[in-house]
Amino acid sequence: MNQQILRGLLLAAAVLTLSACGTTKVVDTWQSDTLEPEAPEKAAVLVMWPDDLQRLVIERDMVANLRDAGVNAVESAELPGMRGEMTRENVEKALRNANADGLIVVFIIGGGASAGYERADYWLQNVGTGVGGWYSPYFYDVYTVREGPGWEDRTTEVMMETLYVDVRRIERVWSIVTESKDIEYQDVAARLSDRIVKQMKRSDQI
């Protein structure tokens, strides 16, 4: 019986560990009916992030991931005229001066944190030795399940929209909306890049 309890608790712990891992999924997609996607010769990555330092880090990591997938990507933050307050005219001019024919733009469109809740902390404690049997006595370890004080758990999520723009025509080619839960900032670039690469492959851009 004690082994069954132990196996059950270990299984529950594994499920909780897996459920706590961050996830990113595509919840909506759009593709132009009139504009045929083309593989970019040079694609700039522009992350509209509220913090400038985080923007630089995410753009850098996304560019590295996209290059690994075969996309000639560049960080928009490294292009002249693509820092500070940006207007559409300034962005278009900066992209053309950099000979970029594609633009990947990432917007935050929603997110936040859920209300906290208490998750019980269960663990096994050996409380002694028991005697079993009626005709032939035998000994066994006795365990009891204790409940600790528990801990608070929160679910964080962020909704992002990613657009691909044909710079030569200044038209949107496709867009995806992603939902990420329980991920760290350093995970955003890798997970989002993976979804972008899959979308570009579906559009025959890679």
Side-chain angles (χ1 to χ4, degrees), residues 8-205:
L9 290 176
L10 290 175
L11 178 61
V15 171
L16 290 175
T17 301
L18 291 174
S19 65
C21 295
T23 60
T24 296
K25 62 180 180 180
V26 176
V27 296
D28 193 19
T29 62
W30 175 89
Q31 185 112 17
S32 174
D33 295 328
T34 59
L35 194 60
E36 189 71 21
E38 296 181 10
E41 294 182 6
K42 187 177 184 180
V45 176
L46 172 59
V47 178
M48 307 297 289
W49 207 263
D51 182 86
D52 288 338
L53 181 58
Q54 289 174 353
R55 172 201 169 187
L56 296 176
V57 173
I58 295 174
E59 284 189 3
R60 179 200 63 197
D61 292 345
M62 286 186 63
V63 164
N65 293 327
L66 291 171
R67 286 179 177 173
D68 288 342
V71 181
N72 182 23
V74 295
E75 305 163 43
S76 66
E78 298 300 322
L79 303 180
M82 295 288 282
R83 292 284 191 98
E85 186 175 353
M86 293 178 290
T87 64
R88 176 171 176 170
E89 292 74 18
N90 291 341
V91 170
E92 292 177 8
K93 180 180 179 180
L95 292 173
R96 289 195 172 104
N97 288 340
N99 295 319
D101 56 348
L103 175 65
I104 299 171
V105 193
V106 180
F107 298 93
I108 298 178
I109 59 177
S114 68
Y117 63 91
E118 289 294 324
R119 177 179 291 167
D121 184 13
Y122 294 99
W123 47 283
L124 288 176
Q125 181 181 11
N126 190 318
V127 294
T129 302
V131 180
W134 178 255
Y135 181 76
S136 300
Y138 60 90
F139 299 91
Y140 59 91
D141 293 331
V142 178
Y143 290 86
T144 186
V145 178
R146 301 293 190 191
E147 181 178 354
W151 66 91
E152 187 178 55
D153 195 8
R154 285 182 178 271
T155 299
T156 58
E157 65 179 28
V158 59
M159 300 283 292
M160 290 176 287
E161 182 175 9
T162 302
L163 313 177
Y164 180 84
V165 179
D166 188 321
V167 176
R168 292 163 295 191
R169 305 175 187 178
I170 310 298
E171 290 190 43
R172 185 175 60 161
V173 180
W174 54 257
S175 67
I176 58 175
V177 176
T178 54
E179 179 187 57
S180 299
K181 292 185 177 181
D182 287 337
I183 61 174
E184 301 292 339
Y185 284 116
Q186 60 265 33
D187 296 330
V188 172
R191 295 177 182 272
L192 190 55
S193 298
D194 178 66
R195 302 306 184 273
I196 292 172
V197 167
K198 289 179 179 178
Q199 179 63 36
M200 295 185 75
K201 287 182 177 179
R202 281 193 292 268
S203 301
D204 294 326
Q205 293 178 292

